[in-house]
Amino acid sequence: MTPSIPMTSDEINQFFLILQNLNPHPKGELNYCDPFTLLVAVVLSAQATDKSVNKVTPALFQIADTPEKMVTAGEEKVKDCIKSIGFYNTKSRNIIALSAKLIDQYAGKVPNHLEDLITLPGVGRKTANVILNTVFDKPTIAVDTHVFRVSNRTGLAQGGTPDQVEKELLKRIPQPFLSHAHHWLILHGRYICKARNPQCKVCPVSRFCHYVNKK
């Protein structure tokens, strides 16, 4: 998957200019109404599709859309709402635990610092970066499977781990694009630069991509 030649600075700039022109205000596809409900939705989305999460969150948020209501609802009610998605037992426990911690340590509010977010049960660096970027408009990059694949495949940023790719992306992406780069790369990977069958013939940024198996 790793290309032999990294993209140049000019190619990266053109790459993101095109994505920006096509979608000036990209958004994630999880449904939420505030920082807490987004946090819960992102925790639920681990090893699950956004579509499957969006099917279960309306019922969940109807009974519990704040940390206080979530703790009151309890693990069994949460589990019943989300049982159609993977790892629902663990995710139920984490949601109750992170809600309790938000109440105890953050006055029921979602914190806006990476160091605080990653102490919450079920919240890793990727989830924290999604929250920081989407809610607090911080120039972070959440490296999921789509971002990892697109970055390595195109030559945008190479690395063997998500953390390595994140560091490279933050160094290589021009500052004006950082606020939205996370969403552009996810959407590009989800719909164009797919894992098994990348749509190179219709890819709007193909000419800047160094994918060795481009068709």
Side-chain angles (χ1 to χ4, degrees):
M1 181 175 69
T2 302
S4 56
I5 304 173
M7 291 169 67
T8 66
S9 297
D10 184 62
E11 287 171 331
I12 292 172
N13 195 64
Q14 293 300 317
F15 179 94
F16 282 105
L17 272 175
I18 289 173
L19 295 181
Q20 181 183 58
N21 288 336
L22 290 171
N23 189 1
H25 305 289
K27 293 182 179 180
E29 297 183 322
L30 288 172
N31 295 332
Y32 68 97
C33 42
D34 56 28
F36 175 70
T37 53
L38 176 61
L39 177 62
V40 171
V42 179
V43 169
L44 291 175
S45 72
Q47 296 178 289
T49 65
D50 288 359
K51 189 176 293 186
S52 68
V53 173
N54 288 338
K55 288 181 179 178
V56 304
T57 48
L60 176 62
F61 295 152
Q62 187 172 9
I63 64 169
D65 59 357
T66 68
E68 294 80 8
K69 291 179 182 178
M70 196 69 74
V71 170
T72 299
E75 189 176 324
E76 290 304 314
K77 279 191 178 179
V78 173
K79 193 183 299 184
D80 189 56
C81 289
I82 68 169
K83 60 187 177 184
S84 64
I85 63 173
F87 304 98
Y88 68 92
N89 286 312
T90 299
K91 291 175 181 178
S92 300
R93 287 194 296 272
N94 284 336
I95 288 169
I96 294 298
L98 74 82
S99 297
K101 188 163 186 175
L102 288 176
I103 296 167
D104 293 342
Q105 298 188 18
Y106 300 102
K109 305 295 183 183
V110 175
N112 63 353
H113 292 97
L114 177 71
E115 295 77 11
D116 294 323
L117 285 165
I118 60 177
T119 68
L120 298 173
V123 177
R125 188 178 183 91
K126 183 191 76 173
T127 297
N129 278 332
V130 172
I131 300 301
L132 292 173
N133 181 262
T134 304
V135 175
F136 300 109
D137 199 30
K138 295 193 177 184
T140 60
I141 302 287
V143 180
D144 69 353
T145 55
H146 297 300
V147 175
F148 186 82
R149 178 178 67 254
V150 171
S151 298
N152 274 292
R153 178 184 277 170
T154 61
L156 175 61
Q158 296 171 290
T161 67
D163 284 356
Q164 290 172 351
V165 170
E166 179 189 336
K167 289 176 183 176
E168 284 300 303
L169 287 171
L170 290 172
K171 285 194 297 185
R172 290 169 63 77
I173 296 174
Q175 190 69 30
F177 301 121
L178 271 178
S179 290
H180 294 314
H182 156 74
H183 286 121
W184 283 322
L185 292 174
I186 287 178
L187 294 171
H188 189 66
R190 184 171 291 163
Y191 296 110
I192 301 291
C193 198
K194 300 177 182 180
R196 295 185 181 179
N197 187 27
Q199 308 295 299
C200 300
K201 290 183 179 178
V202 298
C203 175
V205 291
S206 179
R207 65 185 179 276
F208 306 115
C209 168
H210 294 176
Y211 180 38
V212 294
N213 296 320
K214 194 188 301 182
K215 297 179 181 179

